[in-house]
Amino acid sequence: MILSGTWINEGGPLGSILAFIIGGFMVGVVAILYGELASAMPIVGGEHVYSLRALGPIGAFVCTWAIIFGYVTVAAFEAVALPSAMAFLIPNFNAVELWSVAGEPVYGTWVLVGVLGTVFITALNYVGIRPAAQFQIIMTIVIAFAGAVLIAGAIGYGSPSPDPAFTAGTAGIFAVILQTPFMFVGFDVIPQSAEEADVDPRSLGLLVIAAVGMATLFYIAVIWGGSRGLSGAELVDSTLPAADAMAALFDSQTIGQLMALAGIAGILTSWNAFIIGGSRAIFALAESGMLPKSFAKIHPKYNTPSNAILFIGGLSVLAPLFGEQMLDWIVNAGGLGIVVAWLLVAVSFLVLRYREPEMDRPYKVPGGKAVGSFGLALTVFFVYLYLPGGQSALLWPYEWLIVLLWCVLGLVFYFVSEGHSEEHEQAAFEKIEQLQDD
């Protein structure tokens, strides 16, 4: 709802939709691999559990630290996106200019709202998974309703977009495809909290796949609906493109504010989900001895990985200090971490299929080895897109600097931790086998 204007302006209406069809298909293949692994090993930690069993401690650390990077960048993104949505709802919201970053001003109101939002979501997760889950359900209903209203307006009052269907040809499509991993990440949060979810293993695997399919349809709907309300140039200049498009379709600023509320709901649901997933992944690494033991602390009253939650919240607080420009930097930098983790999950899938063919897999991918090989090829291609020489390489210094700082932080944590041990690994395997027996 916040970035749809950028996509339509860069790729054109049909180009953006095609990009999300391609991205959804590619990510869907990865989700299928996750589905099998999640059903076979429904343990907190997700990627960490799969890669530890298949690749050993070093591979597990790289894979898990990469996906945590993706989750943290989403949480940081939302700390900047929330004031962006508020700017649509509140006139003259941008006030008290503090400084500028990359030529863009940073406002005190943005920083304040981003910090307060971070405190709220962090506290919600700190006090337990149940309040966070109930909050998620309510916000998702708001998003679904607003999406339905946007589509109704596009059908009833919209007109074909004045923009070319494909604004910049292949380059425009690839520019949008580059952002799809960041937009689709979230299905892999489901395995992170597998032990806390009352879902049978086969259904858990199918839910992972369904999440990607539903997300693809929703993104396409918002792009199509928005493009029938305003041009790409008008949308890209908007603080909240989907809300302005809805206001134009219904000729009502009040209706547009409904979409703004849905945009805020979307921000809060993503924020909430990735603190859940990221904190559980951090906990899993710490429990395996790959991060300082303090991250494995469980709160005695709330039964949550409290220090891991506070760590993600603390990093998210920093993002609003860099202003709106931080949105694109985080999307692209975090996307690299996500696809690196997906690549290693695909490798883990294939290794376990060859090494442990008799493993109990409640949901088993038909033609698993062929699908796994295809998934591996797709994730290699995704990684290539981000690298120098790729179609949409990361920018220096901003985006690469974010990546490098995260790598350095990981190395520091790894070497100051107690270190991975065979006892940790054996304990994880026994836990998997016990759950499979149950």
Side-chain angles (χ1 to χ4, degrees), residues 28-110:
V29 173
V30 178
I32 290 172
L33 307 185
Y34 265 89
E36 177 174 302
L37 293 168
S39 72
M41 292 170 277
I43 299 175
V44 64
E47 294 87 350
H48 176 67
V49 178
Y50 319 146
S51 54
L52 180 60
R53 183 147 187 163
L55 307 177
I58 298 298
F61 180 80
V62 173
C63 178
T64 314
W65 193 243
I67 200 66
I68 292 170
F69 178 49
Y71 292 169
V72 169
T73 55
V74 174
F77 173 92
E78 307 305 0
V80 182
L82 179 60
S84 179
M86 295 297 291
F88 181 87
L89 288 170
I90 302 174
N92 303 315
F93 177 78
N94 295 342
V96 191
E97 184 173 338
L98 300 177
W99 50 75
S100 63
V101 175
E104 296 291 331
V106 177
Y107 295 101
T109 47
W110 278 63

Side-chain angles (χ1 to χ4, degrees), residues 121-138:
I121 292 294
T122 303
L124 182 68
N125 279 271
Y126 191 89
V127 299
I129 190 73
R130 187 172 297 277
Q134 292 170 341
F135 175 80
Q136 197 81 349
I137 291 169
I138 295 169

